[in-house]
Amino acid sequence: MMTPKQESPVDQIELKRRLDFHLRAGYQPANSGQSSAKCDQWLQAWKIIKQLTTPDIRDSAAFDRRFPNLWERVFNWCQDFEMELGNAGVDAPIYHEQRVRYVREFLDIFPDEIPSIYLNHRRAEAEALWALGRIEEAEAVFQALVEHMPDEAWAHIGWADQHWLLRDDSTRDYARAEAMMLNALRRPNLQDRGDVLDRLADLYDACGRQTDRDAVLAEAKALQPLVAPLPSVAVPSSPDPAPQKLTAAQFARKLGRNEPCWCGSGKKYKHCHLSSDQRS
């Protein structure tokens, strides 16, 4: 495990000031849509976080308790960072390399991180390796993730997606992706079973298996009564009320990272409300 050096109180004050600067800079409107610019600022922030982290700080929430009042909590930022590294890697593969390195360092210095962040970070590592053409390494990371978190639907879905959804039509391995999702569905305690069924229905639709698609959708629909209905929302008395958006608590089904966000922004959930929902 990495052992960051101990900083003096004076050094810590300066490092915290610089950390706050780089966190804030990455979120500036000028960097909106500029993933590489964000990542360049946040790579500097990550260097400082490593310097400030001591062995007794074992997860991002503990870091936030040790260093309160930063412009953004590291618990939230760390998830934005791994996603932006993936976005930047589309145009510059060096950021995929940085994403792999960041995830491994993050989970090394924060070994007690909460399961949802662990899951998303390991997926990010595997996705980056895949994008770099290091398929065997990526497969090994996904395999280890599924073995470590066998009842997490998005561990299975993330792996299966690499074999069909995220490939060109000519290289899609529908059979292997199907087998992965069917294997997940055999687990009696699988979380987010409906998400696996929805993704499997998409796969069947893509390869023209409409009968199988309809059967899977029927099974998914049968799960819906188990989900609490949306609460009623009182109508404001204002003559021209502003349109109300659903909150995450009012949205009955947990969204997958790549689905449209519940707020209606048109963005993918992972690029919109995922981070804020996970801390609520």
Side-chain angles (χ1 to χ4, degrees), residues 46 78 81 98-106 121:
W46 177 238
C78 70
F81 185 32
Q98 296 283 9
R99 196 182 192 197
V100 172
R101 186 177 302 113
Y102 157 69
V103 167
R104 291 174 177 175
E105 291 176 348
F106 180 91
H121 275 59

Side-chain angles (χ1 to χ4, degrees), residues 44-58:
Q44 295 303 313
W46 177 238
K47 289 180 182 179
I48 298 169
I49 290 168
K50 289 187 291 183
Q51 288 180 265
L52 289 171
T53 302
T54 52
D56 59 311
I57 300 176
R58 296 180 61 84

Side-chain angles (χ1 to χ4, degrees), residues 25-211:
Y27 284 109
Q28 289 302 308
N31 288 328
S32 178
Q34 304 294 323
S35 291
S36 60
K38 285 186 177 183
C39 290
D40 291 343
Q41 291 291 341
W42 288 348
L43 284 166
Q44 295 303 313
W46 177 238
K47 289 180 182 179
I48 298 169
I49 290 168
K50 289 187 291 183
Q51 288 180 265
L52 289 171
T53 302
T54 52
D56 59 311
I57 300 176
R58 296 180 61 84
D59 59 32
S60 57
F63 186 95
D64 291 327
R65 290 192 295 272
R66 179 69 60 82
F67 301 103
N69 304 318
L70 289 170
W71 194 84
E72 176 60 287
R73 294 168 61 199
V74 170
F75 178 87
N76 302 327
W77 166 85
C78 70
Q79 299 169 85
D80 293 336
F81 185 32
E82 66 90 349
M83 288 188 288
E84 288 297 346
L85 284 168
N87 293 336
V90 173
D91 295 320
I94 186 62
Y95 291 103
H96 289 316
E97 296 279 4
Q98 296 283 9
R99 196 182 192 197
V100 172
R101 186 177 302 113
Y102 157 69
V103 167
R104 291 174 177 175
E105 291 176 348
F106 180 91
L107 295 177
D108 184 22
I109 69 171
F110 295 141
D112 295 341
E113 195 51 75
I114 65 170
S116 63
I117 293 182
Y118 179 91
L119 169 65
N120 289 341
H121 275 59
R122 281 296 183 214
R123 278 189 60 190
E125 177 189 6
E127 290 167 2
L129 288 167
W130 208 293
L132 290 165
R134 294 158 60 179
I135 308 303
E136 289 187 8
E137 289 181 73
E139 295 270 23
V141 173
F142 271 124
Q143 179 71 51
L145 178 59
V146 165
E147 290 175 358
H148 182 62
M149 309 180 84
D151 290 322
E152 288 289 345
W154 285 92
H156 298 272
I157 293 171
W159 193 4
D161 281 354
Q162 297 296 330
H163 287 280
W164 78 282
L165 187 62
L166 303 178
R167 285 195 180 191
D168 295 333
D169 289 345
S170 61
T171 61
R172 288 181 175 179
D173 190 343
Y174 291 110
R176 188 168 185 191
E178 177 191 21
M180 289 176 175
M181 288 188 276
L182 290 176
N183 183 58
L185 291 169
R186 293 187 187 100
R187 299 197 61 82
N189 297 319
L190 181 70
Q191 302 295 309
D192 302 319
R193 181 175 298 271
D195 290 340
V196 180
L197 291 168
D198 287 343
R199 186 67 105 241
L200 186 57
D202 291 340
L203 181 148
Y204 287 147
D205 187 50
C207 57
R209 295 168 57 179
Q210 297 304 309
T211 300

